[in-house]
Amino acid sequence: MSGLHHMLVHFPIVLWLLAGSIMLLRLVRHTPEWLQMAGLLALALGVVTALAAMLSGLFAWAPEAVLASPLGRNKLAFALWTTAWWSMLLILHWRLSAILFAPGHRLLTAVLVLVGIVLVTITGTLGGLLGGVSAGIPELLRQAGFEVYTTIRLPWWALLVLVASGLGLLRLAGGERRQA
Amino acid sequence: MPTPRAITLLLLVGLLTAWLGQSLIGPPRPDGSPDRLLLPLQVQAAHDDERILIRLRWPTPEAHRYHDVLRFDGERWEVLGAGDAPGLGEERVSMMLDDGGVPEFARYGGYLLIGDGTRFMPGAADEADVEAHPILGQELGLSDIRKHLPDSRLGRWDEVPSTTALEAQRAAGYFLDLWHWRGDRGGPVNVVDDLHVAEHRHPDQGRSSYGTNWDDERGQPRYMFDPERAGQRALHAGQFDTDGMAPADTRFLTPDNRLDFDPEHDWQPGDTLPRRFLREADGSRADIEGHGGWENGWREVVFSRALDTGNPLEDKVIRPGGQYSVAFAVHSGGATGRHHHVSLPLSLGLDRPADIPVQRMPGGRPDWSRESREVMLFYPGQVNWPRITGPRHAGAEAVDQGIPASARHDAYQLALYGVEAEAEDAVVRRWLISVGLGLLFIVAVAAAGLSLGRRGP
């Protein structure tokens, strides 16, 4: 089953990087409609294949083995965050479409896509390390402050800021609803 | 502020704070874990067809540490050990040696020896249960479970093959030689404790170079210094640094400078005696000499042993042209028990390529001026052999296939894994909270993003 997982994980990586590139391109220049549709399709297929990859991953390694290893815990955390992030991008792209690329919204869209690309990169790196392969990214991450062999977890103050930021976002969402 | 910018700002605040937080939290620091997870050990070796010399050097700030002491508090004598006062807990270095009789040792080193029930580990066997065990307690006289080889058990710690089977394993070479230099016990008289590991960590036959200076029956020391030869009956409080037990003037109880303890003497609060006395060692236990010293922040110990001690059931026979497996451990800075730094296994080759080449000594004198091998020791935490070979290790299948630990892990990684295993419950709890709140944050970003649709471009 681990072989199937190794095979499947390449699909969301490629599809999301493709979708992200198309979205970034659309932020800076006009793109034909077929390319926009291709981007949306790649985004959707990326989510579907990511879910399949996650499912195969659950069968490839015993959950107790994944949860007992810092690298396993980090991989699981980033796989969940990455899938959730790109699912969010899919929903936003699908529901908002042109709004995401309209003036005034482009910075937000660019940040969303770039964060998604970083998440995919980290998740892929962790997966590679679990398979015994390193492409030098762990050293870069270490220099940037993320030690891949230490379980990712936040101190209370950071969790509080995260919660406060999340509540602020929900408040913005609620404000827009009231205005609408 | 326009909504898209406000969303961007809150998004970046949340994400950057999370990144900063995880980078500042660092690895967990369980009680008893050392300040530094890694410790360099310099290794050199030489031989002259008769003896092998192994020179070990590691950084340590103190010239000497008593392992434990006896101190008079004004009414009675109390035992102080590592952790009871700063400065106690001797420096130690040990080396395990195998000639291929324990094949897994070359791949997994000391991890192999931390089996089910081992003391200081989760699930340590109860002392009463060990003492009541028909073989371990009744026949071997053990009261705890220490290092032992996997095949000396049939499963759990108490599932032991017959003594006949254990003896057969030993005769077949299924044991490890253990050379253990103890800075306060034997070290001062240049004797290295000669031990071996089979179904237990046993001392070799013979007498050790140290004894315990405590009379249980009378509740007092057995010996004191001879004032005529040592200048005083005990060390005084002023001979130690102000906040600990680091001696300014190290003295050892030896057969030449001690007398039977005099309880009638006018002992003063703070009077201190070593809890160990030194004596002449003999037998197989005294096969290894250990010379060295401390200079400029580095401790040096040179093991010296006959290639063949004539005790093949306790000592591994070393031959010119042979290759062996070794692993090292250092107890430093007051570390005791399992709170040491260890190495992964390395090869030791006499007159042949190896991780640690043992070069022939020209003229019978070692040339220590050549470059030494630096081995990075790491704090191993609470990772035992059942965990490594069990379902909680994703690499258990690789272990079963015989893939060495060094093929998948390095010292730094193993140190991080070790402390995490030790603090696992707390780490997993915080990880779950972080993962969960991270997902909720993404939901909040999605909700805020979707609200832009109601607002329009």
Side-chain angles (χ1 to χ4, degrees):
Chain A
M1 189 60 87
S2 65
L4 179 65
H5 178 72
H6 291 150
M7 187 266 287
L8 282 176
V9 291
H10 290 88
F11 286 94
I13 292 172
V14 171
L15 289 165
W16 283 338
L17 290 180
L18 175 66
S21 301
I22 292 172
M23 289 175 77
L24 289 175
L25 185 67
R26 192 175 168 188
L27 286 173
V28 295
R29 60 176 293 177
H30 174 73
T31 52
E33 196 169 333
W34 65 266
L35 189 59
Q36 296 170 18
M37 288 306 297
L40 185 61
L41 184 63
L43 202 48
L45 285 174
V47 171
V48 171
T49 53
L51 292 172
M54 285 183 70
L55 198 63
S56 68
L58 292 176
F59 288 105
W61 293 279
E64 58 185 325
V66 174
L67 292 174
S69 147
L71 197 56
R73 289 193 280 260
N74 287 343
K75 173 67 165 49
L76 185 55
F78 273 96
L80 288 168
W81 290 333
T82 304
T83 305
W85 193 268
W86 284 96
S87 299
M88 172 191 73
L89 273 173
L90 172 64
I91 292 167
L92 293 180
H93 197 321
W94 173 44
R95 296 291 299 273
L96 304 182
S97 188
I99 295 175
L100 278 182
F101 304 95
H105 294 76
R106 287 176 182 167
L107 176 65
L108 172 61
T109 305
V111 169
L112 291 173
V113 172
L114 290 173
V115 169
I117 290 172
V118 169
L119 286 171
V120 170
T121 305
I122 295 176
T123 310
T125 297
L126 297 173
L129 287 174
L130 277 175
V133 180
S134 171
I137 303 290
E139 288 71 27
L140 280 177
L141 292 172
R142 188 174 293 143
Q143 285 174 10
F146 174 42
E147 173 52 65
V148 296
Y149 297 116
T150 294
T151 299
I152 191 162
R153 64 206 194 289
L154 305 186
W156 287 115
W157 60 267
L159 289 170
L160 285 174
V161 173
L162 193 67
V163 168
S165 305
L167 289 174
L169 288 164
L170 291 175
R171 186 180 169 82
L172 283 174
E176 289 296 335
R177 179 173 294 160
R178 279 191 297 277
Q179 280 183 21
Chain B
M1 184 184 289
T3 303
R5 287 197 184 172
I7 295 173
T8 307
L9 181 65
L10 285 169
L11 170 62
L12 288 175
V13 166
L15 290 179
L16 293 176
T17 304
W19 188 268
L20 182 67
Q22 66 80 28
S23 69
L24 291 178
I25 198 169
R29 292 288 182 180
D31 288 345
S33 63
D35 292 335
R36 49 185 180 181
L37 296 177
L38 300 175
L39 181 74
L41 178 73
Q42 296 176 352
V43 186
Q44 291 175 296
H47 80 97
D48 64 358
D49 291 322
E50 296 291 329
R51 296 188 74 80
I52 182 169
L53 271 61
I54 296 178
R55 183 185 191 227
L56 306 167
R57 298 181 81 241
W58 70 96
T60 182
E62 293 132 330
H64 181 80
R65 297 174 71 105
Y66 283 115
H67 189 57
D68 39 19
V69 296
L70 306 172
R71 174 161 276 194
F72 188 65
D73 67 2
E75 292 184 9
R76 57 191 172 81
W77 289 84
E78 58 179 352
V79 176
L80 298 178
D84 294 331
L88 292 177
E90 68 188 347
E91 292 283 309
R92 291 188 249 167
V93 65
S94 57
M95 182 186 84
M96 287 187 287
L97 168 73
D98 184 48
D99 58 357
V102 185
E104 305 95 330
F105 178 72
R107 300 194 286 272
Y108 310 110
Y111 282 119
L112 191 69
L113 310 175
I114 313 303
D116 177 53
T118 303
R119 65 177 182 165
F120 308 137
M121 301 296 286
D126 185 72
E127 188 176 316
D129 292 339
V130 179
E131 286 173 347
H133 190 275
I135 295 176
L136 299 175
Q138 304 296 312
E139 284 194 46
L140 299 176
L142 306 179
S143 59
D144 59 16
I145 303 299
R146 301 188 184 184
K147 292 181 176 68
H148 58 272
L149 293 172
D151 288 351
S152 68
R153 300 294 189 273
L154 301 170
R156 285 163 35 100
W157 70 265
D158 55 353
E159 295 169 8
V160 184
S162 66
T163 46
T164 309
L166 292 174
E167 284 166 7
Q169 287 184 1
R170 181 84 65 91
Y174 190 63
F175 73 94
L176 297 173
D177 205 348
L178 174 55
W179 305 7
H180 195 167
W181 179 86
R182 307 172 191 266
D184 192 42
R185 295 176 288 176
V189 288
N190 302 323
V191 177
V192 175
D193 218 0
D194 195 356
L195 315 168
H196 60 279
V197 181
E199 73 283 349
H200 189 71
R201 191 196 74 177
H202 293 293
D204 286 12
Q205 297 297 315
R207 191 169 73 156
S208 71
S209 55
Y210 59 92
T212 302
N213 184 29
W214 184 249
D215 187 331
D216 261 336
E217 248 175 55
R218 298 180 183 172
Q220 64 182 40
R222 293 171 66 183
Y223 301 111
M224 61 182 186
F225 288 112
D226 179 347
E228 287 186 9
R229 297 183 182 188
Q232 55 192 129
R233 286 181 175 79
L235 295 160
H236 306 308
Q239 289 175 280
F240 294 88
D241 68 8
T242 49
D243 61 345
M245 300 301 299
D249 176 17
T250 303
R251 291 165 191 233
F252 308 103
L253 280 170
T254 68
D256 297 330
N257 72 355
R258 74 184 185 215
L259 292 175
D260 286 341
F261 181 75
D262 176 9
E264 302 304 323
H265 177 71
D266 183 22
W267 297 104
Q268 298 300 308
D271 281 352
T272 303
L273 287 166
R275 185 166 176 258
R276 312 291 172 161
F277 62 85
L278 302 169
R279 63 189 178 195
E280 191 170 345
D282 62 26
S284 176
R285 193 158 181 182
D287 282 331
I288 311 162
E289 293 174 19
H291 298 271
W294 179 90
E295 193 177 358
N296 297 328
W298 284 77
R299 160 67 59 184
E300 174 178 315
V301 175
V302 180
F303 292 148
S304 172
R305 201 203 78 173
L307 295 182
D308 184 354
T309 64
N311 302 304
L313 294 180
E314 296 178 333
D315 296 325
K316 294 289 181 175
V317 178
I318 301 172
R319 295 183 175 84
Q323 191 174 81
Y324 304 86
S325 298
V326 291
F328 302 95
V330 167
H331 287 78
S332 188
T336 59
R338 65 175 181 79
H339 295 109
H340 53 2
H341 291 82
V342 304
S343 79
L344 284 171
L346 298 114
S347 60
L348 181 86
L350 280 73
D351 312 318
R352 61 189 282 195
D355 296 326
I356 303 166
V358 187
Q359 296 184 347
R360 196 173 293 272
M361 291 185 269
R365 296 177 65 86
D367 174 17
W368 297 138
S369 65
R370 62 191 167 82
E371 195 177 351
S372 60
R373 165 79 189 225
E374 182 158 302
V375 179
M376 194 53 75
L377 308 185
F378 60 95
Y379 176 69
Q382 283 184 314
V383 177
N384 63 8
W385 190 242
R387 180 175 176 130
I388 289 169
T389 55
R392 299 187 69 212
H393 181 209
E397 194 178 320
V399 173
D400 195 42
Q401 292 167 349
I403 296 173
S406 59
R408 297 284 172 86
H409 306 290
D410 60 24
Y412 179 59
Q413 185 186 345
L414 289 171
L416 294 175
Y417 278 27
V419 286
E420 288 228 0
E422 202 168 336
E424 192 162 49
D425 290 345
V427 166
V428 170
R429 266 198 307 275
R430 185 64 66 88
W431 171 77
L432 279 170
I433 293 169
S434 303
V435 172
L437 286 179
L439 289 172
L440 290 175
F441 182 75
I442 294 171
V443 171
V445 175
L450 283 172
S451 71
L452 295 174
R454 288 189 284 275
R455 186 170 175 264

